[in-house]
Amino acid sequence: MDALLQSLIQGVLLGGLYALIGIGMSLIFGIVKLTNLAHGDFLILASYISYSVVAATGMNPFVSLIVVIPVMFAIGYIVQNTMLNRVISKGAEPPLLVTFGISIVIQNLLLYYYTADARNLRSPIATKSIIITDGIRIPYIYLIGFLVGIIVIVALGFYFRHTYQGKAIKAAADDREVAQLMGVNIKSIYGIAMGISMTTAAIAGVLVGMIYNFYPTSGSAYLVIAFAVVVIGGMGSTYGTLAAGILFGLAQVMGAHFFGASAQLLTGYVVLLIMLIFRPQGLFQR
Amino acid sequence: MSTILEVDNIHVAYGRTKIIPGLSFKVEEGQVLGVIGPNGAGKTTLMNALIGLVIPTEGKIIFDGMDITKLPPDKRCHLGLGRTYQIPRPFEGMTVYENVLVGATHGAGRTEHKARPYCTEVLKRTGLYEKRDTLAGQLTLLDRKRLEIARALGTDPKILLLDEVAAGLTDAEVHDVMDLVAELKKTGLTIIWIEHVIKTMVESTDKLLCLATGCLLRYGDPKETMNCLEVQEVYLGVDEE
Ligand SMILES: Nc1ncnc2c1ncn2[C@@H]1O[C@H](COP(=O)(O)OP(=O)(O)O)[C@@H](O)[C@H]1O
Ligand SMILES: [Mg+2]
């Protein structure tokens, strides 16, 4: 019984982190109508930037976010404005291909600067847990990941609902052409949206870097998680992404609980496949 | 009276399909210019060119003494061009108020604080004030048409372009919309008004322009335009709803 409860808790907490991994990709899908194939690589890029900051200053990886977030926001804004906005009017495929190119370039840049060695952002907190009973322990880092995931998603919801820039982004997501006629500078809005997406990638990148080892090619694994969460949640739906992250996390951990650790990824992807077949529009699509 | 808009020999095409093969006319400030013509004549295309959704391959559009031929739509909005869609395209997931607010802030360059009373005024003027908190996706066709006008007014236009606001409405509803346009005219707004209901057009416009297959058939006094033989031929067999 304890073991099941432990798995449930772990699944939900993991889900918050998954939502954080997917939310930036979901935003860009919803606003720019673009599947950012480089999302996972950007996330890992943030892990490496944090790694360098930590190595240079000795600061805690969490604190490094005061550097990593602005850097990632700027990267997002610049990439959108100098590359993606150029091809955005040429149909759906050209921007998709550009993100694929960006993905490969990031991976190879990381390989060049950091070699293929495993890195991590371990800090003492990564191994500590809150002990509830003998059988139930809540690892701090997962709890933090979960809470940060929720805070980020609620903050984004607030931003879209209550700021005038957020409303312009919502309008642009709803109807790009009409938003332009309302005086919204669509390219600048897309740049800001990508900056926000990269901000979430920065936070997710630092968190996963504190939990798992990473390599220049690790981005692909996170792209798959992000993709799963975005598909299950319904492309572009903020709170759907949160629910989807938790569902996906639970599916994985429950799979591991009932069928053994090696089944964790498999059960997650089986759930994803079932979703794709029966509800391609996502569970929570309005 | 001064010229606020000058269209100088514009050629408009979608890809390789030429729609408007050279069209020129002028609009005076404060006037209501009616644009009529059969379906597919290029009326909406003309509006798209004026608003910047399609860039003419040749010719010039001068607005307020400024060449805007190649400006993107958001810049034209800032300068004072607003339009409505023939088939309303509200931001469905946003409230009526928010729909107007987007243009009132980003289009007219107001802060949200300053935009609020302005939005309220626009909503009252267009008869949408009671429905300000309704999601735009839930509005009736008449209210959607009103919202099209309200949203365009929110951007503080100098010229308002109306694309078949009366299409699809019942007679009583058409009357409502006509009254609204008449009210707007009184405020001194310049209006370019595309419509299919020809009778009302003669009564409520200062000048009437008739398009057929992208070409100007006739431009001038509304009654004279309507009585002109070529225009009548184009409309022969077309019901005057
Ligand atoms: N986006 C488009 N691409 C290609 N052709 C178009 C497009 N929009 C309209 N057309 C064509 O242009 C012509 C004029 O259309 P339109 O300007 O909508 O006419 P109107 O508004 O006068 O009914 C029509 O033959 C129509 O089929
Ligand atoms: Mg039309």
Side-chain angles (χ1 to χ4, degrees), chain B residues 175-199:
Chain B
H175 222 88
D176 277 9
V177 173
M178 296 290 165
D179 285 348
L180 175 56
V181 177
E183 285 294 312
L184 294 176
K185 192 196 158 174
K186 277 187 209 149
T187 67
L189 191 63
T190 309
I191 299 175
I192 298 181
W193 187 4
I194 293 177
E195 201 59 77
H196 215 75
V197 190
I198 299 160
K199 212 170 16 180

mmCIF file with all atom_site columns, all heavy atoms in Angstrom, chain B residues 175-199:
data_model
loop_
_atom_site.group_PDB
_atom_site.id
_atom_site.type_symbol
_atom_site.label_atom_id
_atom_site.label_alt_id
_atom_site.label_comp_id
_atom_site.label_asym_id
_atom_site.label_entity_id
_atom_site.label_seq_id
_atom_site.pdbx_PDB_ins_code
_atom_site.Cartn_x
_atom_site.Cartn_y
_atom_site.Cartn_z
_atom_site.occupancy
_atom_site.B_iso_or_equiv
_atom_site.pdbx_formal_charge
_atom_site.auth_seq_id
_atom_site.auth_comp_id
_atom_site.auth_asym_id
_atom_site.auth_atom_id
_atom_site.pdbx_PDB_model_num
ATOM 1   N N   . HIS B 1 175 ? -31.419 47.391 -40.989 1.00 0.00 ? 175 HIS B N   1
ATOM 2   C CA  . HIS B 1 175 ? -31.797 48.738 -40.579 1.00 0.00 ? 175 HIS B CA  1
ATOM 3   C C   . HIS B 1 175 ? -30.941 49.221 -39.407 1.00 0.00 ? 175 HIS B C   1
ATOM 4   O O   . HIS B 1 175 ? -30.454 50.347 -39.406 1.00 0.00 ? 175 HIS B O   1
ATOM 5   C CB  . HIS B 1 175 ? -33.276 48.764 -40.192 1.00 0.00 ? 175 HIS B CB  1
ATOM 6   C CG  . HIS B 1 175 ? -33.974 49.962 -40.708 1.00 0.00 ? 175 HIS B CG  1
ATOM 7   N ND1 . HIS B 1 175 ? -34.552 49.995 -41.965 1.00 0.00 ? 175 HIS B ND1 1
ATOM 8   C CD2 . HIS B 1 175 ? -34.143 51.196 -40.173 1.00 0.00 ? 175 HIS B CD2 1
ATOM 9   C CE1 . HIS B 1 175 ? -35.058 51.189 -42.169 1.00 0.00 ? 175 HIS B CE1 1
ATOM 10  N NE2 . HIS B 1 175 ? -34.826 51.945 -41.095 1.00 0.00 ? 175 HIS B NE2 1
ATOM 11  N N   . ASP B 1 176 ? -30.790 48.375 -38.421 1.00 0.00 ? 176 ASP B N   1
ATOM 12  C CA  . ASP B 1 176 ? -29.945 48.683 -37.264 1.00 0.00 ? 176 ASP B CA  1
ATOM 13  C C   . ASP B 1 176 ? -28.543 49.079 -37.689 1.00 0.00 ? 176 ASP B C   1
ATOM 14  O O   . ASP B 1 176 ? -27.994 50.099 -37.249 1.00 0.00 ? 176 ASP B O   1
ATOM 15  C CB  . ASP B 1 176 ? -29.835 47.443 -36.344 1.00 0.00 ? 176 ASP B CB  1
ATOM 16  C CG  . ASP B 1 176 ? -31.020 47.334 -35.413 1.00 0.00 ? 176 ASP B CG  1
ATOM 17  O OD1 . ASP B 1 176 ? -31.979 48.099 -35.611 1.00 0.00 ? 176 ASP B OD1 1
ATOM 18  O OD2 . ASP B 1 176 ? -30.968 46.493 -34.494 1.00 0.00 ? 176 ASP B OD2 1
ATOM 19  N N   . VAL B 1 177 ? -27.962 48.257 -38.539 1.00 0.00 ? 177 VAL B N   1
ATOM 20  C CA  . VAL B 1 177 ? -26.586 48.503 -38.961 1.00 0.00 ? 177 VAL B CA  1
ATOM 21  C C   . VAL B 1 177 ? -26.486 49.798 -39.766 1.00 0.00 ? 177 VAL B C   1
ATOM 22  O O   . VAL B 1 177 ? -25.564 50.591 -39.595 1.00 0.00 ? 177 VAL B O   1
ATOM 23  C CB  . VAL B 1 177 ? -26.040 47.299 -39.771 1.00 0.00 ? 177 VAL B CB  1
ATOM 24  C CG1 . VAL B 1 177 ? -24.682 47.624 -40.351 1.00 0.00 ? 177 VAL B CG1 1
ATOM 25  C CG2 . VAL B 1 177 ? -25.966 46.057 -38.897 1.00 0.00 ? 177 VAL B CG2 1
ATOM 26  N N   . MET B 1 178 ? -27.502 50.022 -40.631 1.00 0.00 ? 178 MET B N   1
ATOM 27  C CA  . MET B 1 178 ? -27.514 51.254 -41.432 1.00 0.00 ? 178 MET B CA  1
ATOM 28  C C   . MET B 1 178 ? -27.554 52.487 -40.519 1.00 0.00 ? 178 MET B C   1
ATOM 29  O O   . MET B 1 178 ? -26.853 53.467 -40.753 1.00 0.00 ? 178 MET B O   1
ATOM 30  C CB  . MET B 1 178 ? -28.741 51.277 -42.352 1.00 0.00 ? 178 MET B CB  1
ATOM 31  C CG  . MET B 1 178 ? -28.758 50.187 -43.389 1.00 0.00 ? 178 MET B CG  1
ATOM 32  S SD  . MET B 1 178 ? -27.501 50.460 -44.624 1.00 0.00 ? 178 MET B SD  1
ATOM 33  C CE  . MET B 1 178 ? -27.437 48.866 -45.404 1.00 0.00 ? 178 MET B CE  1
ATOM 34  N N   . ASP B 1 179 ? -28.386 52.412 -39.493 1.00 0.00 ? 179 ASP B N   1
ATOM 35  C CA  . ASP B 1 179 ? -28.475 53.525 -38.540 1.00 0.00 ? 179 ASP B CA  1
ATOM 36  C C   . ASP B 1 179 ? -27.127 53.780 -37.888 1.00 0.00 ? 179 ASP B C   1
ATOM 37  O O   . ASP B 1 179 ? -26.697 54.924 -37.723 1.00 0.00 ? 179 ASP B O   1
ATOM 38  C CB  . ASP B 1 179 ? -29.515 53.207 -37.446 1.00 0.00 ? 179 ASP B CB  1
ATOM 39  C CG  . ASP B 1 179 ? -30.934 53.353 -37.978 1.00 0.00 ? 179 ASP B CG  1
ATOM 40  O OD1 . ASP B 1 179 ? -31.080 53.902 -39.093 1.00 0.00 ? 179 ASP B OD1 1
ATOM 41  O OD2 . ASP B 1 179 ? -31.866 52.913 -37.293 1.00 0.00 ? 179 ASP B OD2 1
ATOM 42  N N   . LEU B 1 180 ? -26.477 52.689 -37.536 1.00 0.00 ? 180 LEU B N   1
ATOM 43  C CA  . LEU B 1 180 ? -25.162 52.816 -36.897 1.00 0.00 ? 180 LEU B CA  1
ATOM 44  C C   . LEU B 1 180 ? -24.172 53.509 -37.825 1.00 0.00 ? 180 LEU B C   1
ATOM 45  O O   . LEU B 1 180 ? -23.462 54.436 -37.419 1.00 0.00 ? 180 LEU B O   1
ATOM 46  C CB  . LEU B 1 180 ? -24.654 51.421 -36.500 1.00 0.00 ? 180 LEU B CB  1
ATOM 47  C CG  . LEU B 1 180 ? -23.251 51.325 -35.925 1.00 0.00 ? 180 LEU B CG  1
ATOM 48  C CD1 . LEU B 1 180 ? -23.090 52.229 -34.719 1.00 0.00 ? 180 LEU B CD1 1
ATOM 49  C CD2 . LEU B 1 180 ? -22.937 49.882 -35.548 1.00 0.00 ? 180 LEU B CD2 1
ATOM 50  N N   . VAL B 1 181 ? -24.162 53.102 -39.079 1.00 0.00 ? 181 VAL B N   1
ATOM 51  C CA  . VAL B 1 181 ? -23.239 53.724 -40.031 1.00 0.00 ? 181 VAL B CA  1
ATOM 52  C C   . VAL B 1 181 ? -23.576 55.200 -40.205 1.00 0.00 ? 181 VAL B C   1
ATOM 53  O O   . VAL B 1 181 ? -22.678 56.054 -40.271 1.00 0.00 ? 181 VAL B O   1
ATOM 54  C CB  . VAL B 1 181 ? -23.268 52.980 -41.387 1.00 0.00 ? 181 VAL B CB  1
ATOM 55  C CG1 . VAL B 1 181 ? -22.362 53.684 -42.392 1.00 0.00 ? 181 VAL B CG1 1
ATOM 56  C CG2 . VAL B 1 181 ? -22.832 51.533 -41.215 1.00 0.00 ? 181 VAL B CG2 1
ATOM 57  N N   . ALA B 1 182 ? -24.871 55.505 -40.260 1.00 0.00 ? 182 ALA B N   1
ATOM 58  C CA  . ALA B 1 182 ? -25.282 56.903 -40.385 1.00 0.00 ? 182 ALA B CA  1
ATOM 59  C C   . ALA B 1 182 ? -24.781 57.728 -39.197 1.00 0.00 ? 182 ALA B C   1
ATOM 60  O O   . ALA B 1 182 ? -24.311 58.856 -39.356 1.00 0.00 ? 182 ALA B O   1
ATOM 61  C CB  . ALA B 1 182 ? -26.806 56.986 -40.494 1.00 0.00 ? 182 ALA B CB  1
ATOM 62  N N   . GLU B 1 183 ? -24.867 57.139 -37.996 1.00 0.00 ? 183 GLU B N   1
ATOM 63  C CA  . GLU B 1 183 ? -24.353 57.796 -36.791 1.00 0.00 ? 183 GLU B CA  1
ATOM 64  C C   . GLU B 1 183 ? -22.855 58.079 -36.935 1.00 0.00 ? 183 GLU B C   1
ATOM 65  O O   . GLU B 1 183 ? -22.374 59.170 -36.617 1.00 0.00 ? 183 GLU B O   1
ATOM 66  C CB  . GLU B 1 183 ? -24.541 56.880 -35.566 1.00 0.00 ? 183 GLU B CB  1
ATOM 67  C CG  . GLU B 1 183 ? -25.967 56.807 -35.051 1.00 0.00 ? 183 GLU B CG  1
ATOM 68  C CD  . GLU B 1 183 ? -26.411 58.143 -34.487 1.00 0.00 ? 183 GLU B CD  1
ATOM 69  O OE1 . GLU B 1 183 ? -25.645 58.724 -33.689 1.00 0.00 ? 183 GLU B OE1 1
ATOM 70  O OE2 . GLU B 1 183 ? -27.497 58.608 -34.883 1.00 0.00 ? 183 GLU B OE2 1
ATOM 71  N N   . LEU B 1 184 ? -22.148 57.081 -37.411 1.00 0.00 ? 184 LEU B N   1
ATOM 72  C CA  . LEU B 1 184 ? -20.691 57.223 -37.559 1.00 0.00 ? 184 LEU B CA  1
ATOM 73  C C   . LEU B 1 184 ? -20.349 58.315 -38.545 1.00 0.00 ? 184 LEU B C   1
ATOM 74  O O   . LEU B 1 184 ? -19.400 59.067 -38.366 1.00 0.00 ? 184 LEU B O   1
ATOM 75  C CB  . LEU B 1 184 ? -20.070 55.894 -38.014 1.00 0.00 ? 184 LEU B CB  1
ATOM 76  C CG  . LEU B 1 184 ? -20.155 54.752 -37.003 1.00 0.00 ? 184 LEU B CG  1
ATOM 77  C CD1 . LEU B 1 184 ? -19.605 53.472 -37.598 1.00 0.00 ? 184 LEU B CD1 1
ATOM 78  C CD2 . LEU B 1 184 ? -19.397 55.118 -35.726 1.00 0.00 ? 184 LEU B CD2 1
ATOM 79  N N   . LYS B 1 185 ? -21.134 58.403 -39.600 1.00 0.00 ? 185 LYS B N   1
ATOM 80  C CA  . LYS B 1 185 ? -20.890 59.423 -40.615 1.00 0.00 ? 185 LYS B CA  1
ATOM 81  C C   . LYS B 1 185 ? -20.993 60.814 -39.991 1.00 0.00 ? 185 LYS B C   1
ATOM 82  O O   . LYS B 1 185 ? -20.212 61.704 -40.300 1.00 0.00 ? 185 LYS B O   1
ATOM 83  C CB  . LYS B 1 185 ? -21.896 59.268 -41.745 1.00 0.00 ? 185 LYS B CB  1
ATOM 84  C CG  . LYS B 1 185 ? -21.506 60.091 -42.947 1.00 0.00 ? 185 LYS B CG  1
ATOM 85  C CD  . LYS B 1 185 ? -22.618 60.282 -43.930 1.00 0.00 ? 185 LYS B CD  1
ATOM 86  C CE  . LYS B 1 185 ? -22.272 61.517 -44.748 1.00 0.00 ? 185 LYS B CE  1
ATOM 87  N NZ  . LYS B 1 185 ? -23.178 61.750 -45.840 1.00 0.00 ? 185 LYS B NZ  1
ATOM 88  N N   . LYS B 1 186 ? -21.948 60.959 -39.080 1.00 0.00 ? 186 LYS B N   1
ATOM 89  C CA  . LYS B 1 186 ? -22.143 62.256 -38.426 1.00 0.00 ? 186 LYS B CA  1
ATOM 90  C C   . LYS B 1 186 ? -20.923 62.699 -37.638 1.00 0.00 ? 186 LYS B C   1
ATOM 91  O O   . LYS B 1 186 ? -20.697 63.885 -37.433 1.00 0.00 ? 186 LYS B O   1
ATOM 92  C CB  . LYS B 1 186 ? -23.352 62.190 -37.490 1.00 0.00 ? 186 LYS B CB  1
ATOM 93  C CG  . LYS B 1 186 ? -24.669 62.395 -38.215 1.00 0.00 ? 186 LYS B CG  1
ATOM 94  C CD  . LYS B 1 186 ? -25.808 62.492 -37.207 1.00 0.00 ? 186 LYS B CD  1
ATOM 95  C CE  . LYS B 1 186 ? -27.105 61.995 -37.833 1.00 0.00 ? 186 LYS B CE  1
ATOM 96  N NZ  . LYS B 1 186 ? -27.995 61.387 -36.832 1.00 0.00 ? 186 LYS B NZ  1
ATOM 97  N N   . THR B 1 187 ? -20.146 61.747 -37.146 1.00 0.00 ? 187 THR B N   1
ATOM 98  C CA  . THR B 1 187 ? -18.954 62.109 -36.378 1.00 0.00 ? 187 THR B CA  1
ATOM 99  C C   . THR B 1 187 ? -17.818 62.575 -37.279 1.00 0.00 ? 187 THR B C   1
ATOM 100 O O   . THR B 1 187 ? -16.738 62.922 -36.808 1.00 0.00 ? 187 THR B O   1
ATOM 101 C CB  . THR B 1 187 ? -18.440 60.915 -35.546 1.00 0.00 ? 187 THR B CB  1
ATOM 102 O OG1 . THR B 1 187 ? -17.965 59.907 -36.449 1.00 0.00 ? 187 THR B OG1 1
ATOM 103 C CG2 . THR B 1 187 ? -19.511 60.327 -34.649 1.00 0.00 ? 187 THR B CG2 1
ATOM 104 N N   . GLY B 1 188 ? -18.057 62.566 -38.608 1.00 0.00 ? 188 GLY B N   1
ATOM 105 C CA  . GLY B 1 188 ? -17.032 63.075 -39.510 1.00 0.00 ? 188 GLY B CA  1
ATOM 106 C C   . GLY B 1 188 ? -16.059 62.031 -40.001 1.00 0.00 ? 188 GLY B C   1
ATOM 107 O O   . GLY B 1 188 ? -15.083 62.327 -40.695 1.00 0.00 ? 188 GLY B O   1
ATOM 108 N N   . LEU B 1 189 ? -16.313 60.792 -39.657 1.00 0.00 ? 189 LEU B N   1
ATOM 109 C CA  . LEU B 1 189 ? -15.456 59.692 -40.084 1.00 0.00 ? 189 LEU B CA  1
ATOM 110 C C   . LEU B 1 189 ? -15.590 59.477 -41.592 1.00 0.00 ? 189 LEU B C   1
ATOM 111 O O   . LEU B 1 189 ? -16.676 59.564 -42.141 1.00 0.00 ? 189 LEU B O   1
ATOM 112 C CB  . LEU B 1 189 ? -15.918 58.425 -39.345 1.00 0.00 ? 189 LEU B CB  1
ATOM 113 C CG  . LEU B 1 189 ? -15.059 57.180 -39.392 1.00 0.00 ? 189 LEU B CG  1
ATOM 114 C CD1 . LEU B 1 189 ? -13.719 57.445 -38.725 1.00 0.00 ? 189 LEU B CD1 1
ATOM 115 C CD2 . LEU B 1 189 ? -15.776 56.034 -38.674 1.00 0.00 ? 189 LEU B CD2 1
ATOM 116 N N   . THR B 1 190 ? -14.452 59.221 -42.247 1.00 0.00 ? 190 THR B N   1
ATOM 117 C CA  . THR B 1 190 ? -14.498 58.854 -43.657 1.00 0.00 ? 190 THR B CA  1
ATOM 118 C C   . THR B 1 190 ? -14.787 57.354 -43.740 1.00 0.00 ? 190 THR B C   1
ATOM 119 O O   . THR B 1 190 ? -14.189 56.572 -43.004 1.00 0.00 ? 190 THR B O   1
ATOM 120 C CB  . THR B 1 190 ? -13.138 59.143 -44.334 1.00 0.00 ? 190 THR B CB  1
ATOM 121 O OG1 . THR B 1 190 ? -12.768 60.488 -44.039 1.00 0.00 ? 190 THR B OG1 1
ATOM 122 C CG2 . THR B 1 190 ? -13.214 58.928 -45.832 1.00 0.00 ? 190 THR B CG2 1
ATOM 123 N N   . ILE B 1 191 ? -15.721 56.991 -44.613 1.00 0.00 ? 191 ILE B N   1
ATOM 124 C CA  . ILE B 1 191 ? -16.114 55.584 -44.671 1.00 0.00 ? 191 ILE B CA  1
ATOM 125 C C   . ILE B 1 191 ? -16.066 55.072 -46.106 1.00 0.00 ? 191 ILE B C   1
ATOM 126 O O   . ILE B 1 191 ? -16.555 55.738 -47.026 1.00 0.00 ? 191 ILE B O   1
ATOM 127 C CB  . ILE B 1 191 ? -17.543 55.393 -44.097 1.00 0.00 ? 191 ILE B CB  1
ATOM 128 C CG1 . ILE B 1 191 ? -17.581 55.834 -42.618 1.00 0.00 ? 191 ILE B CG1 1
ATOM 129 C CG2 . ILE B 1 191 ? -17.989 53.934 -44.227 1.00 0.00 ? 191 ILE B CG2 1
ATOM 130 C CD1 . ILE B 1 191 ? -18.965 55.811 -41.995 1.00 0.00 ? 191 ILE B CD1 1
ATOM 131 N N   . ILE B 1 192 ? -15.433 53.929 -46.279 1.00 0.00 ? 192 ILE B N   1
ATOM 132 C CA  . ILE B 1 192 ? -15.515 53.233 -47.567 1.00 0.00 ? 192 ILE B CA  1
ATOM 133 C C   . ILE B 1 192 ? -16.364 52.001 -47.314 1.00 0.00 ? 192 ILE B C   1
ATOM 134 O O   . ILE B 1 192 ? -16.021 51.166 -46.490 1.00 0.00 ? 192 ILE B O   1
ATOM 135 C CB  . ILE B 1 192 ? -14.118 52.834 -48.106 1.00 0.00 ? 192 ILE B CB  1
ATOM 136 C CG1 . ILE B 1 192 ? -13.287 54.093 -48.336 1.00 0.00 ? 192 ILE B CG1 1
ATOM 137 C CG2 . ILE B 1 192 ? -14.259 52.037 -49.407 1.00 0.00 ? 192 ILE B CG2 1
ATOM 138 C CD1 . ILE B 1 192 ? -11.906 53.823 -48.884 1.00 0.00 ? 192 ILE B CD1 1
ATOM 139 N N   . TRP B 1 193 ? -17.460 51.951 -48.015 1.00 0.00 ? 193 TRP B N   1
ATOM 140 C CA  . TRP B 1 193 ? -18.507 51.011 -47.644 1.00 0.00 ? 193 TRP B CA  1
ATOM 141 C C   . TRP B 1 193 ? -18.863 50.088 -48.799 1.00 0.00 ? 193 TRP B C   1
ATOM 142 O O   . TRP B 1 193 ? -19.501 50.475 -49.759 1.00 0.00 ? 193 TRP B O   1
ATOM 143 C CB  . TRP B 1 193 ? -19.728 51.831 -47.186 1.00 0.00 ? 193 TRP B CB  1
ATOM 144 C CG  . TRP B 1 193 ? -20.831 51.042 -46.615 1.00 0.00 ? 193 TRP B CG  1
ATOM 145 C CD1 . TRP B 1 193 ? -20.868 49.699 -46.384 1.00 0.00 ? 193 TRP B CD1 1
ATOM 146 C CD2 . TRP B 1 193 ? -22.088 51.554 -46.196 1.00 0.00 ? 193 TRP B CD2 1
ATOM 147 N NE1 . TRP B 1 193 ? -22.059 49.346 -45.839 1.00 0.00 ? 193 TRP B NE1 1
ATOM 148 C CE2 . TRP B 1 193 ? -22.832 50.462 -45.710 1.00 0.00 ? 193 TRP B CE2 1
ATOM 149 C CE3 . TRP B 1 193 ? -22.663 52.825 -46.172 1.00 0.00 ? 193 TRP B CE3 1
ATOM 150 C CZ2 . TRP B 1 193 ? -24.118 50.611 -45.209 1.00 0.00 ? 193 TRP B CZ2 1
ATOM 151 C CZ3 . TRP B 1 193 ? -23.937 52.972 -45.678 1.00 0.00 ? 193 TRP B CZ3 1
ATOM 152 C CH2 . TRP B 1 193 ? -24.650 51.867 -45.197 1.00 0.00 ? 193 TRP B CH2 1
ATOM 153 N N   . ILE B 1 194 ? -18.415 48.861 -48.671 1.00 0.00 ? 194 ILE B N   1
ATOM 154 C CA  . ILE B 1 194 ? -18.756 47.838 -49.662 1.00 0.00 ? 194 ILE B CA  1
ATOM 155 C C   . ILE B 1 194 ? -20.081 47.225 -49.268 1.00 0.00 ? 194 ILE B C   1
ATOM 156 O O   . ILE B 1 194 ? -20.277 46.852 -48.128 1.00 0.00 ? 194 ILE B O   1
ATOM 157 C CB  . ILE B 1 194 ? -17.682 46.726 -49.664 1.00 0.00 ? 194 ILE B CB  1
ATOM 158 C CG1 . ILE B 1 194 ? -16.366 47.267 -50.182 1.00 0.00 ? 194 ILE B CG1 1
ATOM 159 C CG2 . ILE B 1 194 ? -18.156 45.530 -50.481 1.00 0.00 ? 194 ILE B CG2 1
ATOM 160 C CD1 . ILE B 1 194 ? -15.262 46.248 -50.132 1.00 0.00 ? 194 ILE B CD1 1
ATOM 161 N N   . GLU B 1 195 ? -20.992 47.161 -50.216 1.00 0.00 ? 195 GLU B N   1
ATOM 162 C CA  . GLU B 1 195 ? -22.286 46.567 -49.870 1.00 0.00 ? 195 GLU B CA  1
ATOM 163 C C   . GLU B 1 195 ? -22.954 46.004 -51.109 1.00 0.00 ? 195 GLU B C   1
ATOM 164 O O   . GLU B 1 195 ? -22.646 46.376 -52.230 1.00 0.00 ? 195 GLU B O   1
ATOM 165 C CB  . GLU B 1 195 ? -23.176 47.642 -49.212 1.00 0.00 ? 195 GLU B CB  1
ATOM 166 C CG  . GLU B 1 195 ? -24.292 47.105 -48.374 1.00 0.00 ? 195 GLU B CG  1
ATOM 167 C CD  . GLU B 1 195 ? -23.810 46.238 -47.233 1.00 0.00 ? 195 GLU B CD  1
ATOM 168 O OE1 . GLU B 1 195 ? -23.328 46.792 -46.224 1.00 0.00 ? 195 GLU B OE1 1
ATOM 169 O OE2 . GLU B 1 195 ? -23.906 45.014 -47.347 1.00 0.00 ? 195 GLU B OE2 1
ATOM 170 N N   . HIS B 1 196 ? -23.860 45.086 -50.855 1.00 0.00 ? 196 HIS B N   1
ATOM 171 C CA  . HIS B 1 196 ? -24.577 44.499 -51.976 1.00 0.00 ? 196 HIS B CA  1
ATOM 172 C C   . HIS B 1 196 ? -26.003 45.033 -52.062 1.00 0.00 ? 196 HIS B C   1
ATOM 173 O O   . HIS B 1 196 ? -26.633 44.961 -53.093 1.00 0.00 ? 196 HIS B O   1
ATOM 174 C CB  . HIS B 1 196 ? -24.566 42.981 -51.812 1.00 0.00 ? 196 HIS B CB  1
ATOM 175 C CG  . HIS B 1 196 ? -24.489 42.276 -53.107 1.00 0.00 ? 196 HIS B CG  1
ATOM 176 N ND1 . HIS B 1 196 ? -23.327 42.207 -53.846 1.00 0.00 ? 196 HIS B ND1 1
ATOM 177 C CD2 . HIS B 1 196 ? -25.427 41.621 -53.823 1.00 0.00 ? 196 HIS B CD2 1
ATOM 178 C CE1 . HIS B 1 196 ? -23.550 41.532 -54.947 1.00 0.00 ? 196 HIS B CE1 1
ATOM 179 N NE2 . HIS B 1 196 ? -24.813 41.161 -54.971 1.00 0.00 ? 196 HIS B NE2 1
ATOM 180 N N   . VAL B 1 197 ? -26.507 45.558 -50.933 1.00 0.00 ? 197 VAL B N   1
ATOM 181 C CA  . VAL B 1 197 ? -27.878 46.069 -50.897 1.00 0.00 ? 197 VAL B CA  1
ATOM 182 C C   . VAL B 1 197 ? -27.889 47.443 -51.536 1.00 0.00 ? 197 VAL B C   1
ATOM 183 O O   . VAL B 1 197 ? -27.638 48.450 -50.909 1.00 0.00 ? 197 VAL B O   1
ATOM 184 C CB  . VAL B 1 197 ? -28.393 46.164 -49.443 1.00 0.00 ? 197 VAL B CB  1
ATOM 185 C CG1 . VAL B 1 197 ? -29.882 46.461 -49.434 1.00 0.00 ? 197 VAL B CG1 1
ATOM 186 C CG2 . VAL B 1 197 ? -28.112 44.867 -48.716 1.00 0.00 ? 197 VAL B CG2 1
ATOM 187 N N   . ILE B 1 198 ? -28.166 47.470 -52.832 1.00 0.00 ? 198 ILE B N   1
ATOM 188 C CA  . ILE B 1 198 ? -27.911 48.664 -53.623 1.00 0.00 ? 198 ILE B CA  1
ATOM 189 C C   . ILE B 1 198 ? -28.810 49.844 -53.264 1.00 0.00 ? 198 ILE B C   1
ATOM 190 O O   . ILE B 1 198 ? -28.362 50.986 -53.228 1.00 0.00 ? 198 ILE B O   1
ATOM 191 C CB  . ILE B 1 198 ? -28.062 48.330 -55.117 1.00 0.00 ? 198 ILE B CB  1
ATOM 192 C CG1 . ILE B 1 198 ? -27.028 47.257 -55.467 1.00 0.00 ? 198 ILE B CG1 1
ATOM 193 C CG2 . ILE B 1 198 ? -27.835 49.549 -55.959 1.00 0.00 ? 198 ILE B CG2 1
ATOM 194 C CD1 . ILE B 1 198 ? -27.344 46.506 -56.704 1.00 0.00 ? 198 ILE B CD1 1
ATOM 195 N N   . LYS B 1 199 ? -30.058 49.547 -52.945 1.00 0.00 ? 199 LYS B N   1
ATOM 196 C CA  . LYS B 1 199 ? -31.003 50.624 -52.668 1.00 0.00 ? 199 LYS B CA  1
ATOM 197 C C   . LYS B 1 199 ? -30.498 51.555 -51.563 1.00 0.00 ? 199 LYS B C   1
ATOM 198 O O   . LYS B 1 199 ? -30.429 52.756 -51.719 1.00 0.00 ? 199 LYS B O   1
ATOM 199 C CB  . LYS B 1 199 ? -32.348 50.010 -52.266 1.00 0.00 ? 199 LYS B CB  1
ATOM 200 C CG  . LYS B 1 199 ? -33.522 50.854 -52.697 1.00 0.00 ? 199 LYS B CG  1
ATOM 201 C CD  . LYS B 1 199 ? -34.859 50.144 -52.532 1.00 0.00 ? 199 LYS B CD  1
ATOM 202 C CE  . LYS B 1 199 ? -34.803 48.932 -51.655 1.00 0.00 ? 199 LYS B CE  1
ATOM 203 N NZ  . LYS B 1 199 ? -36.060 48.247 -51.475 1.00 0.00 ? 199 LYS B NZ  1
#
